[in-house]
Amino acid sequence: MFETSVYLDNASSTRLDERVMEAMKPYFFEVYAVATSEFGYSMGIEAKEALTGAREKLAGMLRAGPEEVVFTSGSTESSNMAIKGVALALGKKKGRHIITTKIEDFPVLHSARALERDGFEVTYLEVDGDGIVDPDRLGEAIRKETILVSIQHANQEIGTVQDVEAIGQICMDRHVLFHTDATHTFRRLPIDADRVPADLITISAHTIHGPRGVGGLYIREKTPIAKWMDGGYQEFDRRAGLENIPGAVGFAAAAELVTFDENERLRSMRDRILDRALTEISATTLNGHREKRTPQNANVTFHLVEGESITLHLDMRGFAVSTGSACFSRSLEASHVIAGIGGDHERAHGSVRFTLGRYNTMEEANAVVDAISEVVKSLRKISPLGKGK
Amino acid sequence: MSKFPYSDLVLEHFKHPRNVGEIEDPDGKAMEGSPACGDMVSVHIKVDEATKTISDIKFQSYGCASNIATGSIITELAKGKTLEEAKKITWKQASEALGGLPPIKAHCSVLAVEGLRSAIRDYEERHGLVAEKVPTTREVVEKRLKKVMNPLSGLDLVRTKLVSEIEVKDGKVKVVIDLPPGHQFANAIREEVVEKIEPLWDVEEVEVVFTE
């Protein structure tokens, strides 16, 4: 194993901020009781207050009411809850048709597939070459039986940001519920329930230097959603299970620590990686939209070479990045996102995702381009596809 | 053993692959795989007419670390061997010579072994050393499927009893795999089966069916 000195896989997970750790600590060692009602014992009431405080902070950032935010175990659970919860609530009453896109992350995509097996119909909208959903196409796809539209705010691999305001407006006009997965945009780009007419929003702490294992689901007031995690009456009787109070406190603290300046800093590092990689290295393709993308995501295909070889060479040099290559994936399948934007297998295999976080520096952004430039050159030398490159 | 999936030898060959390149005017050459499957290996050989030994061998790889390392080791194993000896080099031997490869990577690394065999076959065909084309039968298909690795175990599909049915009729081949269609590796296995069976000279269509 090699020592990782430059971590550029912040879309997968982030380093916890020490300040978040400090905020969480008391809820492990001092106030470790279950959150009780106000008629419980003191430590339980204190725990309850911490949970309420965290909820209020996050709700404030989403411009939502506190009772509209439910804590979950992360974005996977949030998206499952949103999609399956609505399907359970409306499947028999209104209809069994759901609309999503081809490039969603697995929690949404696989929840939709699971519902298909239960007899629901799912429309998977196409996206354009940059990964953008055409709102008009969505309008055409909505039917009388459509109960939910689930379209991500930004993509997990290529960073493309959707026009969720326009999408949400269409859903509102057509009286269809709208869920958006904001795992990669919450606190990085503005998203608030006031402006974006979303009924359900998935958020997570693990992408913003918070603890993993805690996420949230915004549920607009009066949204029909069935409870499917059965147990006690926690989270306004919407999601049973002992509350993860340190997690909730950490999530709120992490969310508060993200600033406008930080996002601008990530954006400038992102631009440096993209500009340099696309101009200094031959046979490259940008994946995702150049402007409409999250500040932390750069994704480039280095043609004629395979991604796992690139990541291993970079790993040996201390860099951690990710690739859409089949060899890297757990299912041995090439990225469905690159396929979704019209890329072939070769484009997916050579795609490399760099995702930035709080602890990265401009020096590192430059260093990774220098390293990848050398690595790609040496791999092309041994590639039967790489003649003349 | 460390948690890292690759042995030091694999990493060494990955970092410094031996015998890379092409041979000008080769006696036999082959290209296995395709950009679609994510891995390609080309093998060029020079053969000593008198002794029928491989006097020089070069490879190129578009692929992951195991693919590159196997390509490299296979050239070392084959150099100086007779064609008959070289034909018998197996993936297992290549893997052992590298200190072991992870089972999930078998399908990427087996290509180099195939590449070597195909380059030898190419030499034999050019020199009139092979018999005529044989029609595709159930047995031929099964033999080919023995080269498709089951990512769950690193052993082939036939040996791990994942192939429950093979049907060959009028240029159409149907293969039934005993896995649910939604299985983690279903699509990857489908692609590989098609890739192995489709090139057969008298096969026009390959259908891969998964059972529930």
Side-chain angles (χ1 to χ4, degrees):
Chain A
M1 305 257 251
F2 316 103
E3 201 178 319
T4 300
S5 50
V6 180
Y7 180 78
L8 292 165
D9 195 21
N10 288 282
S12 297
S13 183
T14 49
R15 175 194 190 284
L16 189 78
D17 189 306
E18 282 87 353
R19 292 167 290 182
V20 172
M21 179 67 135
E22 286 309 312
M24 291 167 72
K25 237 178 181 172
Y27 300 95
F28 284 114
F29 300 109
E30 290 154 38
V31 184
Y32 41 79
V34 64
T36 60
S37 75
E38 65 265 46
F39 307 110
Y41 44 83
S42 300
M43 197 201 279
I45 297 167
E46 239 186 289
K48 172 84 175 171
E49 278 170 6
L51 182 67
T52 305
R55 195 188 309 280
E56 281 170 354
K57 279 181 193 168
L58 291 166
M61 294 174 203
L62 288 165
R63 301 239 209 135
E67 66 291 340
E68 293 178 310
V69 175
V70 165
F71 285 108
T72 68
S73 64
S75 40
T76 296
E77 186 190 329
S78 298
S79 292
N80 267 269
M81 181 176 177
I83 296 169
K84 293 173 182 171
V86 167
L88 260 175
L90 295 181
K92 287 205 176 101
K93 278 190 221 155
K94 191 185 172 201
R96 296 166 80 78
H97 180 235
I98 286 166
I99 299 170
T100 183
T101 77
K102 289 195 161 168
I103 62 167
E104 295 296 316
D105 209 345
F106 291 128
V108 169
L109 214 51
H110 290 174
S111 291
R113 281 195 201 154
L115 288 174
E116 271 185 297
R117 289 196 288 273
D118 283 343
F120 281 79
E121 250 192 280
V122 181
T123 301
Y124 299 92
L125 294 175
E126 304 269 348
V127 293
D128 70 10
D130 292 327
I132 290 178
V133 176
D134 181 351
D136 291 343
R137 278 246 181 115
L138 167 65
E140 289 158 19
I142 295 176
R143 313 175 198 160
K144 205 173 78 240
E145 325 79 75
T146 308
I147 51 171
L148 178 72
V149 169
S150 178
I151 294 178
Q152 60 188 192
H153 189 201
N155 188 265
Q156 63 285 359
E157 281 179 41
I158 59 172
T160 297
V161 180
Q162 305 296 343
D163 186 354
V164 281
E165 285 168 54
I167 290 168
Q169 193 58 51
I170 292 171
C171 295
M172 198 159 80
D173 294 346
R174 306 281 296 272
H175 307 289
V176 176
L177 294 175
F178 173 42
H179 165 246
T180 191
D181 174 3
T183 305
H184 299 281
T185 51
F186 179 58
R187 304 305 285 154
R188 293 288 177 218
L189 290 173
I191 175 145
D192 62 63
D194 237 12
R195 213 165 44 82
V196 177
D199 302 287
L200 300 144
I201 304 173
T202 290
I203 57 174
S204 179
H206 80 286
T207 47
I208 50 170
H209 305 282
R212 65 198 84 172
V214 57
L217 181 65
Y218 160 79
I219 308 172
R220 187 181 292 279
E221 211 188 338
K222 299 202 178 93
T223 300
I225 183 165
K227 181 179 179 182
W228 63 285
M229 182 77 93
D230 287 316
Y233 301 101
Q234 292 88 351
E235 300 293 302
F236 317 110
D237 197 19
R238 290 190 142 146
R239 192 263 190 190
L242 176 69
E243 296 98 337
N244 177 359
I245 293 171
V249 168
F251 190 0
E256 278 185 314
L257 287 168
V258 180
T259 61
F260 176 81
D261 289 348
E262 172 172 285
N263 292 334
E264 282 307 300
R265 205 171 65 78
L266 300 190
R267 196 186 305 275
S268 63
M269 290 190 279
R270 172 201 79 183
D271 288 342
R272 178 68 59 89
I273 292 175
L274 286 179
D275 290 343
R276 283 198 55 204
L278 293 168
T279 53
E280 293 174 22
I281 305 173
S282 66
T284 48
T285 305
L286 167 70
N287 294 315
H289 196 282
R290 183 63 186 85
E291 276 84 38
K292 292 176 192 166
R293 69 188 304 134
T294 50
Q296 71 272 26
N297 176 299
N299 190 316
V300 175
T301 289
F302 301 91
H303 291 283
L304 315 172
V305 289
E306 192 278 329
E308 197 230 22
S309 286
I310 300 178
T311 55
L312 182 55
H313 267 299
L314 287 181
D315 188 22
M316 294 195 280
R317 293 162 190 241
F319 297 92
V321 298
S322 151
T323 164
S325 170
C327 273
F328 193 78
S329 91
R330 289 189 193 177
S331 65
L332 300 177
E333 277 183 89
S335 157
H336 70 284
V337 176
I338 303 289
I341 59 172
D344 56 11
H345 280 73
E346 192 265 344
R347 179 164 169 195
H349 293 320
S351 68
V352 176
R353 180 184 73 175
F354 313 83
T355 44
L356 297 144
R358 180 167 300 151
Y359 302 98
N360 293 122
T361 62
M362 190 58 94
E363 214 177 13
E364 293 176 344
N366 280 315
V368 77
V369 180
D370 292 340
I372 209 162
S373 176
E374 285 177 25
V375 166
V376 167
K377 253 182 227 151
S378 72
L379 285 172
R380 280 183 185 163
K381 268 190 203 145
I382 68 165
S383 168
L385 300 172
K387 272 181 204 150
K389 299 284 175 192
Chain B
M1 216 177 112
S2 82
K3 290 262 159 57
F4 198 72
Y6 295 124
S7 69
D8 289 344
L9 259 169
V10 171
L11 290 178
E12 166 57 23
H13 279 268
F14 169 64
K15 273 197 277 189
H16 307 291
R18 329 285 203 258
N19 305 309
V20 172
E22 293 174 311
I23 295 175
E24 222 175 292
D25 195 19
D27 295 324
K29 63 174 180 180
M31 178 89 94
E32 287 287 324
S34 70
C37 89
D39 287 296
M40 281 171 87
V41 173
S42 80
V43 177
H44 284 201
I45 52 170
K46 204 83 184 153
V47 178
D48 184 305
E49 284 286 337
T51 57
K52 291 275 180 287
T53 53
I54 296 177
S55 56
D56 195 14
I57 177 164
K58 290 255 193 294
F59 89 103
Q60 288 182 308
S61 158
Y62 160 78
C64 60
S66 347
N67 182 278
I68 293 171
T70 318
S72 173
I73 198 80
I74 211 93
T75 59
E76 292 207 323
L77 291 174
K79 211 179 215 170
K81 292 254 180 16
T82 66
L83 295 179
E84 288 309 313
E85 288 167 345
K87 262 191 235 176
K88 287 183 193 132
I89 296 173
T90 61
W91 176 78
K92 202 163 165 266
Q93 285 169 331
S95 168
E96 275 164 12
L98 284 170
L101 282 166
I104 194 162
K105 293 293 182 186
H107 73 114
C108 328
S109 48
V110 79
L111 269 188
V113 182
E114 298 289 307
L116 173 62
R117 287 182 195 164
S118 300
I120 297 172
R121 203 176 312 125
D122 180 51
Y123 170 84
E124 290 176 338
E125 277 171 14
R126 288 192 207 198
H127 291 75
L129 300 173
V130 271
E132 274 170 53
K133 285 175 176 174
V134 283
T136 298
T137 58
R138 228 192 134 273
E139 287 65 40
V140 172
V141 172
E142 190 177 82
K143 207 175 153 201
R144 287 247 161 173
L145 291 178
K146 283 183 183 161
K147 292 173 184 169
V148 179
M149 295 296 176
N150 170 2
L152 298 168
S153 62
L155 299 171
D156 72 79
L157 293 187
V158 178
R159 211 167 136 186
T160 52
K161 301 194 165 52
L162 281 186
V163 181
S164 57
E165 205 184 313
I166 298 171
E167 206 181 284
V168 183
K169 207 180 158 192
D170 305 329
K172 283 182 190 158
V173 176
K174 183 178 159 191
V175 178
V176 182
I177 305 285
D178 194 17
L179 278 179
H183 190 272
Q184 184 185 3
F185 295 123
N187 287 333
I189 290 175
R190 182 199 311 277
E191 277 188 23
E192 273 210 61
V193 168
V194 171
E195 202 150 304
K196 282 283 177 300
I197 306 301
E198 220 165 37
L200 287 167
W201 68 279
D202 57 346
V203 170
E204 279 157 25
E205 201 186 314
V206 183
E207 189 191 0
V208 184
V209 181
F210 290 87
T211 51
E212 269 310 330

Tab-separated table of all heavy atoms in Angstrom, chain A residues 279-320:
chain	number	residue	atom	x	y	z
A	279	THR	N	-5.636	21.312	-22.075
A	279	THR	CA	-4.767	21.961	-23.050
A	279	THR	C	-3.386	21.313	-23.124
A	279	THR	O	-2.806	21.202	-24.189
A	279	THR	CB	-4.584	23.468	-22.746
A	279	THR	OG1	-4.149	23.594	-21.395
A	279	THR	CG2	-5.878	24.240	-22.941
A	280	GLU	N	-2.872	20.852	-21.983
A	280	GLU	CA	-1.494	20.344	-21.992
A	280	GLU	C	-1.384	18.885	-22.402
A	280	GLU	O	-0.324	18.423	-22.796
A	280	GLU	CB	-0.862	20.536	-20.603
A	280	GLU	CG	-0.667	21.996	-20.258
A	280	GLU	CD	-0.168	22.189	-18.831
A	280	GLU	OE1	0.417	21.245	-18.258
A	280	GLU	OE2	-0.377	23.290	-18.299
A	281	ILE	N	-2.491	18.136	-22.280
A	281	ILE	CA	-2.425	16.711	-22.607
A	281	ILE	C	-3.244	16.464	-23.870
A	281	ILE	O	-4.374	16.936	-23.973
A	281	ILE	CB	-2.929	15.855	-21.426
A	281	ILE	CG1	-2.140	16.207	-20.154
A	281	ILE	CG2	-2.822	14.355	-21.743
A	281	ILE	CD1	-2.637	15.564	-18.889
A	282	SER	N	-2.661	15.734	-24.817
A	282	SER	CA	-3.372	15.498	-26.081
A	282	SER	C	-4.470	14.458	-25.891
A	282	SER	O	-4.460	13.702	-24.920
A	282	SER	CB	-2.386	15.022	-27.147
A	282	SER	OG	-1.894	13.754	-26.773
A	283	ALA	N	-5.390	14.410	-26.836
A	283	ALA	CA	-6.470	13.426	-26.856
A	283	ALA	C	-7.209	13.326	-25.522
A	283	ALA	O	-7.220	12.289	-24.853
A	283	ALA	CB	-5.956	12.061	-27.281
A	284	THR	N	-7.798	14.443	-25.113
A	284	THR	CA	-8.591	14.465	-23.880
A	284	THR	C	-9.991	14.976	-24.204
A	284	THR	O	-10.182	15.675	-25.189
A	284	THR	CB	-7.975	15.425	-22.827
A	284	THR	OG1	-7.679	16.660	-23.461
A	284	THR	CG2	-6.717	14.849	-22.220
A	285	THR	N	-10.942	14.601	-23.400
A	285	THR	CA	-12.306	15.108	-23.546
A	285	THR	C	-12.831	15.497	-22.174
A	285	THR	O	-12.663	14.755	-21.207
A	285	THR	CB	-13.239	14.010	-24.121
A	285	THR	OG1	-12.683	13.535	-25.348
A	285	THR	CG2	-14.634	14.557	-24.389
A	286	LEU	N	-13.453	16.664	-22.114
A	286	LEU	CA	-14.095	17.084	-20.864
A	286	LEU	C	-15.372	16.268	-20.688
A	286	LEU	O	-16.133	16.097	-21.640
A	286	LEU	CB	-14.443	18.573	-20.958
A	286	LEU	CG	-15.379	19.121	-19.877
A	286	LEU	CD1	-14.677	19.168	-18.527
A	286	LEU	CD2	-15.892	20.508	-20.252
A	287	ASN	N	-15.616	15.783	-19.511
A	287	ASN	CA	-16.883	15.110	-19.226
A	287	ASN	C	-17.726	16.019	-18.344
A	287	ASN	O	-17.295	16.424	-17.265
A	287	ASN	CB	-16.637	13.775	-18.537
A	287	ASN	CG	-15.926	12.799	-19.449
A	287	ASN	OD1	-16.278	12.655	-20.624
A	287	ASN	ND2	-14.895	12.137	-18.933
A	288	GLY	N	-18.922	16.335	-18.819
A	288	GLY	CA	-19.793	17.243	-18.080
A	288	GLY	C	-19.758	18.632	-18.702
A	288	GLY	O	-18.985	18.901	-19.631
A	289	HIS	N	-20.618	19.487	-18.202
A	289	HIS	CA	-20.723	20.843	-18.738
A	289	HIS	C	-19.581	21.709	-18.200
A	289	HIS	O	-19.211	21.581	-17.043
A	289	HIS	CB	-22.083	21.438	-18.336
A	289	HIS	CG	-22.465	22.648	-19.109
A	289	HIS	ND1	-21.929	23.886	-18.851
A	289	HIS	CD2	-23.330	22.808	-20.149
A	289	HIS	CE1	-22.453	24.762	-19.697
A	289	HIS	NE2	-23.301	24.135	-20.498
A	290	ARG	N	-19.036	22.580	-19.061
A	290	ARG	CA	-17.886	23.378	-18.608
A	290	ARG	C	-18.266	24.370	-17.504
A	290	ARG	O	-17.542	24.533	-16.528
A	290	ARG	CB	-17.262	24.117	-19.799
A	290	ARG	CG	-16.006	24.913	-19.433
A	290	ARG	CD	-14.898	23.988	-18.948
A	290	ARG	NE	-13.734	24.712	-18.446
A	290	ARG	CZ	-13.620	25.166	-17.212
A	290	ARG	NH1	-14.607	24.970	-16.339
A	290	ARG	NH2	-12.532	25.794	-16.809
A	291	GLU	N	-19.401	25.046	-17.659
A	291	GLU	CA	-19.787	26.040	-16.642
A	291	GLU	C	-20.792	25.507	-15.624
A	291	GLU	O	-20.645	25.742	-14.426
A	291	GLU	CB	-20.370	27.305	-17.291
A	291	GLU	CG	-19.321	28.292	-17.749
A	291	GLU	CD	-18.798	27.935	-19.136
A	291	GLU	OE1	-19.612	27.498	-19.971
A	291	GLU	OE2	-17.568	28.059	-19.367
A	292	LYS	N	-21.819	24.831	-16.152
A	292	LYS	CA	-22.857	24.352	-15.238
A	292	LYS	C	-22.376	23.099	-14.545
A	292	LYS	O	-22.832	21.982	-14.839
A	292	LYS	CB	-24.145	24.061	-16.018
A	292	LYS	CG	-24.808	25.305	-16.580
A	292	LYS	CD	-26.018	24.935	-17.410
A	292	LYS	CE	-26.504	26.122	-18.218
A	292	LYS	NZ	-27.458	25.712	-19.259
A	293	ARG	N	-21.407	23.248	-13.648
A	293	ARG	CA	-20.913	22.088	-12.917
A	293	ARG	C	-20.586	22.480	-11.484
A	293	ARG	O	-20.382	23.656	-11.188
A	293	ARG	CB	-19.717	21.449	-13.617
A	293	ARG	CG	-18.426	22.255	-13.617
A	293	ARG	CD	-17.355	21.612	-14.496
A	293	ARG	NE	-17.090	20.239	-14.112
A	293	ARG	CZ	-16.995	19.226	-14.979
A	293	ARG	NH1	-17.121	19.449	-16.269
A	293	ARG	NH2	-16.759	18.016	-14.560
A	294	THR	N	-20.543	21.500	-10.612
A	294	THR	CA	-20.273	21.782	-9.206
A	294	THR	C	-18.852	22.321	-9.062
A	294	THR	O	-17.961	21.948	-9.832
A	294	THR	CB	-20.424	20.511	-8.351
A	294	THR	OG1	-19.676	19.466	-8.953
A	294	THR	CG2	-21.875	20.093	-8.236
A	295	PRO	N	-18.624	23.185	-8.063
A	295	PRO	CA	-17.297	23.789	-7.947
A	295	PRO	C	-16.196	22.773	-7.631
A	295	PRO	O	-15.023	23.042	-7.885
A	295	PRO	CB	-17.458	24.796	-6.806
A	295	PRO	CG	-18.723	24.452	-6.117
A	295	PRO	CD	-19.586	23.751	-7.112
A	296	GLN	N	-16.585	21.609	-7.117
A	296	GLN	CA	-15.547	20.675	-6.657
A	296	GLN	C	-15.205	19.578	-7.659
A	296	GLN	O	-14.337	18.767	-7.409
A	296	GLN	CB	-15.976	20.045	-5.317
A	296	GLN	CG	-17.125	19.039	-5.388
A	296	GLN	CD	-18.494	19.672	-5.267
A	296	GLN	OE1	-18.687	20.838	-5.595
A	296	GLN	NE2	-19.473	18.907	-4.812
A	297	ASN	N	-15.908	19.545	-8.813
A	297	ASN	CA	-15.744	18.396	-9.712
A	297	ASN	C	-15.046	18.719	-11.034
A	297	ASN	O	-15.464	19.604	-11.770
A	297	ASN	CB	-17.133	17.796	-10.011
A	297	ASN	CG	-17.085	16.659	-11.015
A	297	ASN	OD1	-16.679	16.833	-12.161
A	297	ASN	ND2	-17.492	15.485	-10.589
A	298	ALA	N	-13.990	17.954	-11.311
A	298	ALA	CA	-13.352	17.984	-12.633
A	298	ALA	C	-13.346	16.549	-13.140
A	298	ALA	O	-13.019	15.630	-12.381
A	298	ALA	CB	-11.925	18.512	-12.538
A	299	ASN	N	-13.758	16.346	-14.397
A	299	ASN	CA	-13.760	14.981	-14.942
A	299	ASN	C	-13.304	15.024	-16.396
A	299	ASN	O	-13.874	15.738	-17.202
A	299	ASN	CB	-15.167	14.371	-14.824
A	299	ASN	CG	-15.167	12.877	-15.139
A	299	ASN	OD1	-14.533	12.429	-16.104
A	299	ASN	ND2	-15.858	12.104	-14.319
A	300	VAL	N	-12.247	14.277	-16.661
A	300	VAL	CA	-11.630	14.314	-17.987
A	300	VAL	C	-11.362	12.889	-18.456
A	300	VAL	O	-10.941	12.043	-17.664
A	300	VAL	CB	-10.279	15.080	-17.931
A	300	VAL	CG1	-9.555	15.017	-19.277
A	300	VAL	CG2	-10.492	16.538	-17.520
A	301	THR	N	-11.619	12.624	-19.742
A	301	THR	CA	-11.210	11.346	-20.316
A	301	THR	C	-9.861	11.507	-20.996
A	301	THR	O	-9.659	12.432	-21.782
A	301	THR	CB	-12.232	10.836	-21.348
A	301	THR	OG1	-13.403	10.425	-20.652
A	301	THR	CG2	-11.690	9.647	-22.123
A	302	PHE	N	-8.955	10.623	-20.639
A	302	PHE	CA	-7.655	10.551	-21.298
A	302	PHE	C	-7.748	9.366	-22.252
A	302	PHE	O	-7.727	8.210	-21.805
A	302	PHE	CB	-6.547	10.378	-20.263
A	302	PHE	CG	-6.524	11.510	-19.267
A	302	PHE	CD1	-7.250	11.434	-18.075
A	302	PHE	CD2	-5.824	12.679	-19.544
A	302	PHE	CE1	-7.274	12.490	-17.176
A	302	PHE	CE2	-5.847	13.739	-18.642
A	302	PHE	CZ	-6.565	13.646	-17.461
A	303	HIS	N	-7.915	9.648	-23.517
A	303	HIS	CA	-8.178	8.579	-24.476
A	303	HIS	C	-6.990	7.640	-24.637
A	303	HIS	O	-5.852	8.016	-24.372
A	303	HIS	CB	-8.565	9.179	-25.833
A	303	HIS	CG	-9.912	9.840	-25.782
A	303	HIS	ND1	-11.081	9.134	-25.798
A	303	HIS	CD2	-10.262	11.144	-25.667
A	303	HIS	CE1	-12.100	9.980	-25.723
A	303	HIS	NE2	-11.628	11.199	-25.633
A	304	LEU	N	-7.309	6.430	-25.085
A	304	LEU	CA	-6.330	5.392	-25.438
A	304	LEU	C	-5.677	4.716	-24.232
A	304	LEU	O	-4.819	3.860	-24.387
A	304	LEU	CB	-5.230	5.929	-26.365
A	304	LEU	CG	-5.721	6.808	-27.528
A	304	LEU	CD1	-4.535	7.436	-28.243
A	304	LEU	CD2	-6.563	5.990	-28.492
A	305	VAL	N	-6.077	5.138	-23.034
A	305	VAL	CA	-5.544	4.469	-21.855
A	305	VAL	C	-6.696	4.097	-20.926
A	305	VAL	O	-7.792	4.640	-21.024
A	305	VAL	CB	-4.509	5.326	-21.091
A	305	VAL	CG1	-3.226	5.426	-21.877
A	305	VAL	CG2	-5.057	6.701	-20.788
A	306	GLU	N	-6.409	3.163	-20.021
A	306	GLU	CA	-7.462	2.624	-19.174
A	306	GLU	C	-7.330	3.214	-17.773
A	306	GLU	O	-6.236	3.349	-17.241
A	306	GLU	CB	-7.332	1.094	-19.174
A	306	GLU	CG	-8.488	0.355	-18.576
A	306	GLU	CD	-8.412	0.302	-17.066
A	306	GLU	OE1	-7.284	0.284	-16.535
A	306	GLU	OE2	-9.471	0.313	-16.429
A	307	GLY	N	-8.478	3.539	-17.185
A	307	GLY	CA	-8.512	4.288	-15.937
A	307	GLY	C	-7.898	3.619	-14.721
A	307	GLY	O	-7.272	4.270	-13.897
A	308	GLU	N	-8.058	2.299	-14.608
A	308	GLU	CA	-7.497	1.664	-13.414
A	308	GLU	C	-5.978	1.746	-13.413
A	308	GLU	O	-5.347	1.879	-12.374
A	308	GLU	CB	-7.952	0.206	-13.284
A	308	GLU	CG	-7.729	-0.322	-11.882
A	308	GLU	CD	-7.006	-1.651	-11.832
A	308	GLU	OE1	-6.310	-2.002	-12.795
A	308	GLU	OE2	-7.115	-2.337	-10.826
A	309	SER	N	-5.397	1.668	-14.609
A	309	SER	CA	-3.941	1.830	-14.712
A	309	SER	C	-3.534	3.239	-14.314
A	309	SER	O	-2.515	3.426	-13.642
A	309	SER	CB	-3.488	1.557	-16.145
A	309	SER	OG	-3.535	0.187	-16.406
A	310	ILE	N	-4.336	4.203	-14.712
A	310	ILE	CA	-4.021	5.589	-14.327
A	310	ILE	C	-4.115	5.748	-12.812
A	310	ILE	O	-3.208	6.267	-12.163
A	310	ILE	CB	-4.989	6.597	-14.994
A	310	ILE	CG1	-4.907	6.509	-16.516
A	310	ILE	CG2	-4.703	8.017	-14.517
A	310	ILE	CD1	-5.875	7.444	-17.245
A	311	THR	N	-5.221	5.242	-12.239
A	311	THR	CA	-5.395	5.455	-10.787
A	311	THR	C	-4.315	4.727	-9.987
A	311	THR	O	-3.853	5.250	-8.979
A	311	THR	CB	-6.793	5.001	-10.308
A	311	THR	OG1	-6.993	3.650	-10.684
A	311	THR	CG2	-7.890	5.847	-10.903
A	312	LEU	N	-3.907	3.549	-10.464
A	312	LEU	CA	-2.862	2.826	-9.717
A	312	LEU	C	-1.518	3.557	-9.804
A	312	LEU	O	-0.807	3.690	-8.801
A	312	LEU	CB	-2.747	1.382	-10.229
A	312	LEU	CG	-1.737	0.491	-9.506
A	312	LEU	CD1	-1.982	0.452	-8.005
A	312	LEU	CD2	-1.770	-0.930	-10.067
A	313	HIS	N	-1.191	4.040	-10.995
A	313	HIS	CA	0.046	4.818	-11.123
A	313	HIS	C	-0.012	6.060	-10.235
A	313	HIS	O	0.971	6.415	-9.584
A	313	HIS	CB	0.257	5.251	-12.575
A	313	HIS	CG	1.092	4.290	-13.362
A	313	HIS	ND1	2.396	3.994	-13.021
A	313	HIS	CD2	0.820	3.556	-14.461
A	313	HIS	CE1	2.891	3.122	-13.886
A	313	HIS	NE2	1.948	2.821	-14.773
A	314	LEU	N	-1.162	6.722	-10.203
A	314	LEU	CA	-1.288	7.915	-9.375
A	314	LEU	C	-1.224	7.547	-7.894
A	314	LEU	O	-0.612	8.240	-7.090
A	314	LEU	CB	-2.598	8.655	-9.678
A	314	LEU	CG	-2.671	9.415	-11.001
A	314	LEU	CD1	-4.027	10.104	-11.137
A	314	LEU	CD2	-1.558	10.470	-11.111
A	315	ASP	N	-1.825	6.411	-7.552
A	315	ASP	CA	-1.795	5.941	-6.162
A	315	ASP	C	-0.350	5.732	-5.712
A	315	ASP	O	0.040	6.122	-4.613
A	315	ASP	CB	-2.604	4.628	-6.072
A	315	ASP	CG	-2.805	4.168	-4.642
A	315	ASP	OD1	-2.719	5.015	-3.725
A	315	ASP	OD2	-3.050	2.969	-4.433
A	316	MET	N	0.455	5.151	-6.593
A	316	MET	CA	1.862	4.908	-6.247
A	316	MET	C	2.608	6.219	-6.037
A	316	MET	O	3.633	6.261	-5.377
A	316	MET	CB	2.532	4.066	-7.334
A	316	MET	CG	1.950	2.666	-7.414
A	316	MET	SD	2.935	1.472	-8.351
A	316	MET	CE	2.529	1.851	-9.996
A	317	ARG	N	2.061	7.287	-6.628
A	317	ARG	CA	2.685	8.601	-6.446
A	317	ARG	C	1.988	9.411	-5.359
A	317	ARG	O	2.257	10.612	-5.204
A	317	ARG	CB	2.618	9.389	-7.752
A	317	ARG	CG	3.472	8.805	-8.856
A	317	ARG	CD	3.022	9.364	-10.192
A	317	ARG	NE	3.660	8.654	-11.287
A	317	ARG	CZ	4.459	9.243	-12.166
A	317	ARG	NH1	4.706	10.523	-12.090
A	317	ARG	NH2	5.004	8.532	-13.133
A	318	GLY	N	1.025	8.804	-4.677
A	318	GLY	CA	0.389	9.480	-3.542
A	318	GLY	C	-0.903	10.220	-3.837
A	318	GLY	O	-1.424	10.928	-2.990
A	319	PHE	N	-1.436	10.067	-5.055
A	319	PHE	CA	-2.686	10.759	-5.403
A	319	PHE	C	-3.871	9.796	-5.390
A	319	PHE	O	-3.766	8.694	-5.928
A	319	PHE	CB	-2.600	11.363	-6.808
A	319	PHE	CG	-1.550	12.427	-6.957
A	319	PHE	CD1	-0.258	12.089	-7.371
A	319	PHE	CD2	-1.841	13.758	-6.697
A	319	PHE	CE1	0.721	13.063	-7.518
A	319	PHE	CE2	-0.869	14.735	-6.844
A	319	PHE	CZ	0.417	14.385	-7.251
A	320	ALA	N	-4.977	10.220	-4.817
A	320	ALA	CA	-6.193	9.406	-4.836
A	320	ALA	C	-7.231	10.076	-5.719
A	320	ALA	O	-7.674	11.188	-5.444
A	320	ALA	CB	-6.745	9.241	-3.423
